Structure formats: structure tokens, C-alpha cells
Amino acid sequence: MLKCNEIVELIASDKSLTFLGKMELKMHLLMCKHCNNYSKQIEIINNQYKKSIEKVTNTDEVHVQDLEDKVLESVKNKKEQKP
Amino acid sequence: MSDKNQDLSPIEIIDAFKNQDWSILEQLIKQYTTFLLKSALGLGVRGNEADDLVQNVWSTFFEVIDRFEGNSQIRTFLYGILINKTRELRRENIKSNRHDPIDSVMEERFDSNGHWAKPPMNPEQFLEATQTLEIISDCIDKLPVTQRAAFTLWEIDESETSEICKILDVTVTNLGVILYRAKNRLRECIEIKTKANE
Ligand SMILES: [Zn+2]
């Protein structure tokens, strides 16, 4: 039988589990309120993390094009410096 | 990232660079710059700093292209450079990843029998607190670069485990530890902020 601290480790490190391992995890979460809450919190973190990163990684097409041009320009200069 | 262009092989890129075949290099740059910029922003680098970082990654890419091995994908190779540059920018070294104070914080949450001594907050309250994303983004900004990269690759890109390990230069076991620390750091941080706002 796994203890709460071991269950928490399984959940947070996203270990791939065998069928029996998954069953044991499920059973523990049914019986243990605290680990169940922990597991729900981690699920919330996963979802909100995704949303938050999607928000900050929004890029503007014009800006990206501008950046691509700058990159190409500097690659050209670089090549000319060391023939 | 768009997959509509077929991936160029390393040899094609090296040749294009040698022969100054700008159209091929332009194709390459257009294929990966959005990906790099999004990745930089995802790692918490903002504004001009993010643009400079992307330029920097490309410049390094063309310096080390001779060492690029055919068995790793260009995307993986570029992301690896990006992470190293971001670590430099944040003055973070790999050694600092060996010990993480979150490990002892987590230990204190359990008694000697492995049962909860300080149980987690109720999830409804937790969800409500993270609804505006402000708290979580503050907490994300406090994560070390490696943890942030690992979590992003794992949760958002849903990259293959082996690819993530290659990019971060860690073993599969290490990756588990990194994810464990990232999630628990966020969890603790969110709980503290939620309680402070009560
Ligand atoms: Zn439990």
C-alpha cells in the first residue's frame, strides 16, 4: 500500500503507471480526501498553466515578420564577415 | 509551429549557408522564428529582451551548425540553444537544480508515517484564486528556467518524453523530479498567495 507522500509523488511527477499502479492510485484517491484534493489542485494547475502560457505567448504576425527580416539580415552580415 | 514546409536536413542547411543560398535560409528562419519567439515568451522573457534572445539563438545556431547531428531535429536543437541562453540571461546554473528548497517544504507537509500533516487547501477555493491567471502567472515567473521549460514542453507541447530529456539534457528520472518540483512550487505559491488575499 502506498502512503500519501508516495501518492503525491506519483501524481506530481506524472510517472507512467502499470494497470495495477493506476488501480491503486484510483483506490487511494477514493478513500483519501487530502490526496484527492491534492490531485484536483494539480489538475487545476495544469489547466491554468496552459491558459497562462497561451496568454503570454500570443504573438503579432507583423512583429514576427519584422523579427524574421532582422534575423535574416544578421545572418547575411555574419556570412559576409567570414567568407 | 507550421509543419507545411518539409524539414531541411542539416547538410542542406550547411550547404545553403556556405553557398549563401538565402532563399533556403529564409525558409528555415521563417519556419522556426515564431516557434522560438513563443518559446522565449513562454520561458518568461519579454519584449525587446525576447527579440534579442531569438536573434541570439539564430546567431549561435549558425555558429555551431557544423556540430548539428542529423539524428536530432532542428526544432530540438534550436530549443536547446534557447534554454541555455535563457539560463545565462537569468544567471542560473545547472548545479542550482540539484537542490531545491521545495523538497524540504514538501517533507514538512507529511508526518513520519507519510500521512498528511499539513493537508492541501480545498480545491474550490484554489480554483477561484487562480481564475484570473494573475496569481498563477506570478508564481510561474518564480520558477527556475529548467522547471518552466520542462513543464511547458510536457503540458503544452506534449512533446515525447525522450525529446524533452534530450532538450533539457536530463534523464527520465530527473524529468520526473523536475516536474514534481515545478508543480509543487506552483501549488505552494498559489496556496500562500490565496491565503494572503483572504
Ligand atoms: Zn492520501
Side-chain angles (χ1 to χ4, degrees), chain B:
Chain B
M1 196 195 80
S2 81
D3 278 322
K4 54 177 188 270
N5 299 318
Q6 239 200 319
D7 250 4
L8 292 157
S9 75
I11 294 163
E12 282 174 306
I13 298 168
I14 294 168
D15 280 351
F17 189 56
K18 274 189 198 146
N19 303 329
Q20 308 197 27
D21 188 341
W22 304 124
S23 71
I24 287 191
L25 297 180
E26 191 176 352
Q27 182 198 327
L28 177 76
I29 289 163
K30 284 203 183 296
Q31 197 176 346
Y32 292 104
T33 296
T34 307
F35 159 72
L36 283 175
L37 182 60
K38 280 183 187 287
S39 303
L41 295 167
L43 290 175
V45 184
R46 310 250 190 278
N48 288 337
E49 214 182 18
D51 290 357
D52 292 346
L53 180 61
V54 172
Q55 289 236 44
N56 216 330
V57 171
W58 277 118
S59 145
T60 303
F61 176 81
F62 287 105
E63 274 162 29
V64 299
I65 192 162
D66 293 329
R67 276 180 271 149
F68 177 64
E69 290 165 41
N71 56 11
S72 97
Q73 292 174 326
I74 295 174
R75 188 172 173 276
T76 309
F77 192 62
L78 283 168
Y79 199 96
I81 300 173
L82 179 78
I83 287 188
N84 284 328
K85 298 264 169 210
T86 311
R87 280 184 189 133
E88 274 169 35
L89 207 61
R90 298 281 175 256
R91 295 172 205 290
E92 212 175 86
N93 67 47
I94 309 224
K95 274 183 200 155
S96 67
N97 287 314
R98 265 181 222 159
H99 300 282
D100 190 326
I102 190 65
D103 293 344
S104 39
V105 173
M106 283 306 286
E107 255 169 57
E108 282 167 26
R109 286 227 166 228
F110 298 93
D111 64 20
S112 54
N113 295 319
H115 295 129
W116 285 96
K118 293 185 221 159
M121 163 184 279
N122 97 51
E124 285 77 30
Q125 195 186 354
F126 194 84
L127 177 63
E128 211 182 294
T130 55
Q131 216 56 281
T132 60
L133 299 180
E134 245 166 70
I135 286 185
I136 193 154
S137 71
D138 280 356
C139 293
I140 293 171
D141 281 340
K142 290 188 185 138
L143 289 181
V145 175
T146 309
Q147 290 180 16
R148 195 168 169 149
F151 199 8
T152 307
L153 290 166
W154 184 264
E155 272 310 317
I156 299 175
D157 285 27
E158 289 173 11
S159 312
E160 295 280 336
T161 308
S162 61
E163 203 199 336
I164 302 176
C165 290
K166 210 176 202 174
I167 291 173
L168 299 174
D169 197 17
V170 297
T171 62
V172 179
T173 313
N174 278 337
L175 179 62
V177 174
I178 293 168
L179 290 171
Y180 170 88
R181 286 171 173 171
K183 291 181 198 187
N184 283 307
R185 269 177 179 256
L186 291 173
R187 210 195 64 78
E188 294 289 335
C189 175
I190 293 166
E191 277 205 354
I192 289 167
K193 283 185 185 284
T194 309
K195 279 178 186 154
N197 289 347
E198 261 174 4

Side-chain angles (χ1 to χ4, degrees), chain A residues 9-79:
Chain A
E9 207 184 311
L10 286 183
I11 295 171
S13 62
D14 245 323
K15 287 223 171 81
S16 54
L17 298 173
T18 59
F19 178 72
L20 281 175
K22 279 180 198 154
M23 289 304 287
E24 186 169 358
L25 177 61
K26 254 189 195 162
M27 288 299 288
H28 188 109
L29 293 183
L30 280 175
M31 294 181 307
C32 175
K33 183 75 187 152
H34 295 327
C35 284
N36 195 302
N37 282 347
Y38 178 88
S39 149
K40 283 182 182 152
Q41 284 189 346
I42 296 296
E43 219 171 287
I44 293 166
I45 289 172
N46 292 345
N47 289 332
Q48 301 302 87
Y49 186 88
K50 242 183 233 181
K51 283 190 201 156
S52 169
I53 295 290
E54 273 162 16
K55 203 170 144 194
V56 295
T57 57
N58 233 325
T59 49
D60 167 48
E61 217 170 292
V62 180
H63 178 88
V64 172
Q65 264 172 26
D66 198 42
L67 183 57
E68 286 167 352
D69 292 343
K70 276 189 209 154
V71 170
L72 189 62
E73 205 50 48
S74 70
V75 174
K76 282 182 182 171
N77 288 337
K78 190 177 206 127
K79 181 65 199 171

